Amino acid sequence: RASVALRGRPAAMEAREPLRDVRGALRAVLARLREGEPSEGREPFELPRFWDALGTGGPGRAGTFQVTSQEATKLSLAFSRPPLPSAENCRKLSEDVQNAILAVATVYYWLPKGQGTTLRKMVRDATTEVVEGMIQLTDTILNAPVESLSQEQLISTGGVWEACEQVSNLPRGEYNQAAVVSALAASLGVVKDAVEEMEQALVEGQDPFGDIMEDEELGFRGNRDTYWSEADRQLLSSCMGLMKASKACLKKVLAAVKAHGKADSPEHIAQLDDLADIANEISPSVDELALSMYPPVNPLAVRFNAAKLASVLTKVLEIAKTSHVCPPSEEGWVQFLTGAVDHNMNKVKSFTQGQL
């Protein structure tokens, strides 16, 4: 029986050879997605038709993501138990997988640059995730034993399903406006969490690491490096002001984009993209400031990160003020938040002046 198994193994490897070829093709598609840009097509672009092709596909017709999910299921089932598919059947399965992935990529490339970089990035990320998932599935099948369905294969198949289902979560409102709303809301959620975490740490007492057990490497909790001094707390108060201004800024910009944002002209689409791009820098800047606020506090590092966040917030407010999402009725909060950012940053400078 062992000799029969050994004779059967080369045949199994030969049967899976088309899958190796399609894996190489998928890697080429992935590289192009990561590096390339959609081209401006000659035919008029219709957003409803685009969503139909990418997603639901209309009544009684599967979209490209759904087709890809189905092909992943067929491929996985074919290699889930003996007998394995013949070389000819494997070739057909591989071709169907490759065609499904090419269809997904083609729909993405159909989306013109003029529809907005924020929307285009979201669609590209979703498309890339599906291609990566399919590559992982083919890798798993090629590397798995031929005798049985592996846990890795089940996980990889589920990963493709999940990636394909993500298309239903893509914002489908008025062109780029809905995509920008989605991006701003995501950033706001992250900043809210960071502000709440730091507020809790400051309120809980003098020792933010009080939940950490004494350790030979960490040292005793009585080490002064684990405490905030009174001077630290004065400095951090102004930093918290900047973090709260960040949350308020994102909240106000999000509301303004929801109320006034339009994607009815190239100028408006570009303004929305500019807002999304700069607002996307708020969350990482807040995180960097928060990390530098934990003891032992280096006042100059705190000042540097505070200045970085203040600069980002100032840019967001300037871009918002000069865009179509900020009519005269919105100018009040822009002016107020600009003053709040300047006030807190000036206090940070005052508290750290002696360190320069």
Side-chain angles (χ1 to χ4, degrees), residues 86-246:
S86 64
E88 182 177 348
N89 287 338
C90 183
R91 188 176 300 108
K92 177 64 168 61
L93 287 167
S94 300
E95 287 177 357
D96 289 344
V97 165
Q98 182 173 339
N99 289 337
I101 290 294
L102 288 174
V104 168
T106 298
V107 174
Y108 160 65
Y109 281 112
W110 182 31
L111 181 63
K113 298 177 184 179
Q115 296 304 319
T117 59
T118 307
L119 173 61
R120 198 168 77 246
K121 183 181 183 300
M122 288 183 175
V123 176
R124 183 179 65 185
D125 289 347
T127 305
T128 299
E129 190 173 344
V130 170
V131 179
E132 289 174 339
M134 193 67 82
I135 291 172
Q136 183 178 352
L137 176 57
T138 57
D139 273 337
T140 302
I141 292 174
L142 287 169
N143 296 326
V146 298
E147 290 83 4
S148 62
L149 175 66
S150 67
Q151 182 68 17
E152 290 78 10
Q153 187 173 330
L154 287 171
I155 294 173
S156 296
T157 306
V160 177
W161 293 343
E162 185 177 355
C164 290
E165 288 171 2
Q166 290 304 309
V167 69
S168 61
N169 297 326
L170 291 172
R172 304 193 184 197
E174 183 186 352
Y175 294 85
N176 206 42
Q177 190 256 6
V180 172
V181 165
S182 177
L184 291 172
S187 295
L188 176 59
V190 175
V191 170
K192 276 183 177 179
D193 290 343
V195 172
E196 291 173 3
E197 182 179 334
M198 184 54 65
E199 282 181 327
Q200 184 177 358
L202 287 167
V203 167
E204 282 180 349
Q206 296 293 325
D207 185 359
F209 300 115
D211 59 338
I212 299 178
M213 298 294 290
E214 293 180 6
D215 185 273
E216 292 181 359
E217 294 182 4
L218 293 174
F220 291 103
R221 281 176 44 220
N223 188 328
R224 292 183 60 189
D225 284 350
T226 66
Y227 284 78
W228 281 307
S229 67
E230 189 55 38
D232 290 340
R233 287 182 173 274
Q234 289 181 340
L235 172 60
L236 301 191
S237 175
S238 300
C239 293
M240 282 304 303
L242 281 175
M243 292 177 68
K244 290 178 180 178
S246 303

Side-chain angles (χ1 to χ4, degrees), residues 242-261:
L242 281 175
M243 292 177 68
K244 290 178 180 178
S246 303
K247 183 175 76 170
C249 181
L250 281 169
K251 188 175 181 180
K252 287 294 188 180
V253 171
L254 175 60
V257 172
K258 285 182 177 178
H260 310 292

Side-chain angles (χ1 to χ4, degrees), residues 325-348:
V325 306
C326 191
S329 61
E330 303 285 348
E331 291 179 357
W333 63 262
V334 174
Q335 184 175 355
F336 174 81
L337 286 176
T338 300
V341 170
D342 291 341
H343 171 73
N344 284 290
M345 190 60 226
N346 286 334
K347 289 180 69 176
V348 170

